[in-house]
């Protein structure tokens, strides 16, 4: 969905409506959310001598029959769509993720820095090796269970992975329950439930006087989120969480989270900056996230420093914070030295968790730089998106504070005109027009779709501009992934200033 005032995306509102209709048709085929049928919506290809068979297949929803053929098709120039419609990839590709294809990445391993886990980052194949067929849903895929029930239960057949339940069941990540997966709300360091853990963090950040909201936390980045139960149980506090995890040995943990209706994405802390703007989060959270923060001169901690707002918190729940055996004390000492060099303050350490606060202390940073304890970054252009940008082994000195942190409630932030917009020539009138436009459009969309407002949970705005579309949806039980294409103006900082979440991407 396009942002208003982005003329390069669409020439008219009618063009926008056409795109919406096309997206709904594709989404309907994949998820079946508009058809009201819990039977399987995918029929495997007919017997064939090859996986690229063009034998026709039947896709029955009880309302219409698709004429698409099952065929493993790769991108060609020029692009051609068969008369029968886009081909459908074979069922074995139901979890194919572009730029995270394991077989392709294996071929790149000799040239990747595996010591820094570069293989977990995005690696896109050349055009001729990119799939050009629709990814099918899993066999026996059912219409997703609606939110908020989906927080706790999803269909097993929709994410049919058993290993995660076997390995993490004792930590209450996920359990098998007949035809369902049950998520009791546990995690590696909060197996007794996320609510108790979240309250403990609130106590630690407020000296036992409040919760995370009263500590000023509105947006959280959850590193190595697993099935995202931490994020799910922050929602009652109206805290928005951008959760991510790599595609690794934990099978497709992100698919579990998305099936639950929780905002997550595949990403990894490795060699490149994360696709989020600087100074976007009041908290970065790591609960046994399997990140070696102490290695490579603390470059990953410096990336966290870039992402944290002033007075933001870094929460670290992992063995080095509490265990005295093995190499954990050595790792802890390295962490203390690195965080001290960045002028962070350790404000709490109890049970299995340590919490630092990022202090904007220019004098401290400059003094530590003079002592060769860290490097100060050269001035950078903040309007440039952090996309495919190498991490920087340095700290950016912030010359001034933003007023956004004085707005503690998300409701206040939703209407904020961010000063970052003025730097890229988007004025307040254009900002307000975008907001009003999407309020009208969202009402129109719902009338056109003619469905219950509880039938949609996961939404992606592919060209979010200032986030007006997400703001218009704010009262509905949805979450919106706001995507700002790197080919457009960098408005993602303004989107985060409004209390929303999103990422940069290159379509």
């Amino acid at each position: 969905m396009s942002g208003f005032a982005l003329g390069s995306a669409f020439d008219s509102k009618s063009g926008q409506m056409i795109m919406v209709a096309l997206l709904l048709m594709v989404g309907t085929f994949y998820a079946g959310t508009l058809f009201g049928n819990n039977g399987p919506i995918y029929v495997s290809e007919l017997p064939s001598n090859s996986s690229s068979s063009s034998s026709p297949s039947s896709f029955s929803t009880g309302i219409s029959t698709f004429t698409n053929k099952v065929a493993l098709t790769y991108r060609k120039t020029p692009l051609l769509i068969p008369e029968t419609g886009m081909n459908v990839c074979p069922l074995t590709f139901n979890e194919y993720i572009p730029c995270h294809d394991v077989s392709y990445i294996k071929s790149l391993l000799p040239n990747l820095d595996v010591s820094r886990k570069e293989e977990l980052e995005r690696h896109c194949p050349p055009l001729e090796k990119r799939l050009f067929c629709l990814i099918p849903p899993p066999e026996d895929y059912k219409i997703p269970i609606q939110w908020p029930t989906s927080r706790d239960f999803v269909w097993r057949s929709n994410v049919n992975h058993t290993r995660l339940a076997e390995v993490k069941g004792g930590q209450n990540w996920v359990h098998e329950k007949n035809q369902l997966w049950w998520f009791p709300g546990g995690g590696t360091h909060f197996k007794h439930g996320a609510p108790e853990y979240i309250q403990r963090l609130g106590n630690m950040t407020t000296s036992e006087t409040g919760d995370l909201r009263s500590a000023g936390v509105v947006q959280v980045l959850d590193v190595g989120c697993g099935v995202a139960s931490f994020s799910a149980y922050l929602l009652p506090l109206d805290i928005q969480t951008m959760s991510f995890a790599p595609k690794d040995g934990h099978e497709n943990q992100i698919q579990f989270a998305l099936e639950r209706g929780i905002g997550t994405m595949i990403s990894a802390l490795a060699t490149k900056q994360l696709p989020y703007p600087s100074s976007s989060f009041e908290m970065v959270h790591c609960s046994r996230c399997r990140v070696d923060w102490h290695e490579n001169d603390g470059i990953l901690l410096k990336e966290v420093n870039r992402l944290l707002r002033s007075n933001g918190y870094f929460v670290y729940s992992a063995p080095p914070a509490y265990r005295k055996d093995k190499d954990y004390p050595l790792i802890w000492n390295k962490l203390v030295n690195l965080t001290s060099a960045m002028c962070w303050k350790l404000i709490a350490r109890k049970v299995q968790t340590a919490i630092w606060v990022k202090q904007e202390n220019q004098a401290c940073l400059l003094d530590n730089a003079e002592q060769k304890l860290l490097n100060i970054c050269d001035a950078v252009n903040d309007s440039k998106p952090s996309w495919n940008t190498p991490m920087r082994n340095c700290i950016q000195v912030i010359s001034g504070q933003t007023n956004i942190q004085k707005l503690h409630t998300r409701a206040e932030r939703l209407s904020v005109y961010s000063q970052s917009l003025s730097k890229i020539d988007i004025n307040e009138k254009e900002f307000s027009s975008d907001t009003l436009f999407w309020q009208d459009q969202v009402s129109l969309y719902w009338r056109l779709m003619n469905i219950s407002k509880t039938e949609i949970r996961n939404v992606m705005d592919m060209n979010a501009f200032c986030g007006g579309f997400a703001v218009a949806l704010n009262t509905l039980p949805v979450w919106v992934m706001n995507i700002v294409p790197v080919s457009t103006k960098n408005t993602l900082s303004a989107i985060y200033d409004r209390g929303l979440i999103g990422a940069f991407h290159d379509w």
Side-chain angles (χ1 to χ4, degrees):
M1 295 179 183
S2 165
F4 178 68
L6 283 179
S8 61
F10 294 103
D11 293 328
S12 66
K13 294 186 179 67
S14 61
Q16 291 175 327
M17 293 304 298
I18 292 171
M19 177 58 76
V20 169
L22 289 171
L23 289 173
L24 282 174
M25 285 192 293
V26 172
T28 298
F29 168 71
Y30 184 84
T33 54
L34 306 186
F35 288 120
N37 178 8
N38 271 343
I41 64 172
Y42 178 86
V43 179
S44 183
E45 63 266 32
L46 295 175
S48 170
N49 294 327
S50 72
S51 61
S52 61
S53 166
S54 61
S55 300
S57 63
S58 172
F59 299 88
S60 176
T61 63
I63 292 181
S64 60
T65 299
F66 291 92
T67 59
N68 308 67
K69 298 177 180 179
V70 173
L72 185 57
T73 313
Y74 291 91
R75 187 164 173 173
K76 297 179 180 179
T77 304
L79 294 176
L80 294 175
I81 298 178
E83 292 182 2
T84 53
M86 282 286 292
N87 290 334
V88 180
C89 305
L91 189 57
T92 53
F93 285 80
N94 74 84
E95 288 197 345
Y96 175 83
I97 302 172
C99 305
H100 289 280
D101 181 20
V102 175
S103 59
Y104 176 69
I105 292 174
K106 280 184 178 179
S107 69
L108 303 178
L109 284 178
N111 298 315
L112 299 179
D113 188 348
V114 294
S115 69
R116 294 184 61 188
K117 300 184 179 180
E118 188 179 4
E119 71 277 7
L120 297 179
E121 295 181 318
R122 285 170 49 88
H123 298 282
C124 302
L127 287 178
E128 65 274 12
K129 292 185 178 181
R130 298 184 189 182
L131 292 188
F132 192 65
C133 48
L134 298 175
I135 302 300
E139 193 171 7
D140 196 28
Y141 184 86
K142 298 177 177 63
I143 296 173
I145 294 171
Q146 293 182 7
W147 182 268
T149 306
S150 64
R151 185 195 71 177
D152 302 326
F153 297 98
V154 304
W155 295 113
R156 278 189 57 196
S157 58
N158 288 8
V159 195
N160 198 10
H161 288 299
T162 59
R163 185 174 180 274
L164 199 61
E166 294 166 359
V167 174
K168 297 295 185 179
Q171 297 166 1
N172 279 329
W173 280 35
V174 57
H175 294 287
E176 182 181 338
K177 200 175 184 71
N178 299 320
Q179 296 185 62
L180 302 169
W181 289 122
W182 170 44
F183 302 88
T188 303
H189 273 267
F190 45 94
K191 64 182 180 180
H192 298 299
E196 181 273 335
Y197 174 71
I198 289 169
Q199 183 55 55
R200 191 193 330 150
L201 298 184
N203 294 337
M204 293 172 71
T205 52
T206 63
S207 300
E208 308 291 331
T209 63
D211 58 19
L212 290 179
R213 282 309 307 271
S214 61
V217 177
V218 177
Q219 288 149 303
V220 173
L221 180 66
D222 190 14
V223 180
C225 63
V227 295
S229 288
F230 179 69
S231 171
Y233 285 89
L234 284 173
L235 289 173
L237 293 175
D238 200 20
I239 293 175
Q240 303 299 302
T241 307
M242 184 72 262
S243 302
F244 74 88
K247 187 177 186 298
D248 60 8
H250 281 161
E251 296 175 320
N252 200 349
Q253 53 193 323
I254 292 301
Q255 195 64 40
F256 279 97
L258 291 172
E259 187 71 19
R260 297 175 73 186
I262 303 169
T264 48
M265 64 179 286
I266 292 176
S267 193
L269 272 166
T271 68
K272 296 183 176 65
Q273 290 181 355
L274 292 171
Y276 318 118
S278 300
S279 301
S280 293
F281 302 96
E282 286 85 21
M283 177 177 283
V284 174
H285 173 256
C286 162
S287 175
R288 201 68 176 266
C289 60
R290 302 170 71 187
V291 172
D292 294 327
W293 302 105
H294 60 290
E295 298 287 7
N296 299 302
D297 199 26
I299 193 170
L300 301 182
L301 281 174
K302 289 161 187 172
E303 172 66 358
V304 170
N305 189 83
R306 180 185 75 84
L307 295 169
L308 278 175
R309 299 186 193 273
S310 299
N311 300 313
Y313 303 100
F314 175 59
V315 177
Y316 180 68
S317 296
Y322 63 92
R323 288 180 60 172
K324 305 299 182 182
D325 59 334
K326 300 181 180 180
D327 293 330
Y328 296 130
L330 178 62
I331 294 172
W332 173 256
N333 289 335
K334 286 184 177 180
L335 289 173
V336 169
N337 291 336
L338 288 165
T339 52
S340 297
M342 295 190 297
C343 301
W344 289 7
K345 181 181 179 181
L346 181 64
I347 62 168
R349 185 187 181 192
K350 61 175 62 175
V351 190
Q352 298 179 344
T353 300
I355 301 180
W356 286 267
V357 64
K358 172 190 173 181
Q359 298 177 310
E360 291 296 350
N361 188 333
Q362 289 190 40
C364 174
L365 289 172
L366 294 175
D367 183 58
N368 286 351
E370 189 173 339
Q371 297 181 51
K372 308 298 183 183
L373 298 178
L374 81 165
N375 297 317
I376 300 297
C377 296
D378 296 332
V380 294
N381 182 1
D382 286 337
S383 65
K384 183 179 179 181
S386 51
W387 178 256
N388 281 336
T389 303
M391 283 189 188
R392 309 176 76 200
N393 191 16
C394 56
I395 296 294
Q396 183 72 42
V397 176
I398 306 298
S399 58
Q401 299 290 329
T402 61
N403 292 325
I404 189 66
Q405 289 183 285
K406 297 178 181 178
L407 302 176
H408 292 303
T409 70
R410 218 172 138 257
E412 290 178 300
R413 291 191 179 189
L414 288 174
S415 58
V416 165
Y417 170 76
S418 172
Q419 292 303 312
S420 64
L421 292 176
S422 63
K423 298 177 182 179
I424 53 176
D425 300 322
I426 297 174
N427 58 42
E428 289 193 53
K429 182 178 180 181
E430 196 171 2
F431 171 82
S432 298
S433 297
D434 178 72
T435 301
L436 293 173
F437 170 79
W438 283 114
Q439 288 175 355
D440 291 338
Q441 287 296 100
V442 164
S443 297
L444 175 61
Y445 288 169
W446 238 268
R447 289 198 300 271
L448 289 172
M449 291 188 293
N450 192 29
I451 60 173
S452 167
K453 294 181 178 180
T454 62
E455 289 188 47
I456 291 178
R457 174 63 183 168
N458 300 350
V459 178
M460 176 180 286
D461 189 344
M462 298 172 64
N463 197 347
F465 191 44
C466 295
F469 177 65
V471 170
L473 291 170
N474 182 59
T475 59
L476 301 175
V478 304
W479 74 273
V480 182
M481 173 67 86
N482 292 282
I483 297 297
V484 172
V486 294
S487 59
T488 65
K489 290 183 177 180
N490 176 10
T491 55
L492 194 55
S493 292
I495 287 171
Y496 272 91
D497 284 351
R498 297 183 84 170
L500 306 170
I501 60 173
F504 295 111
H505 193 64
D506 183 2
W507 295 115

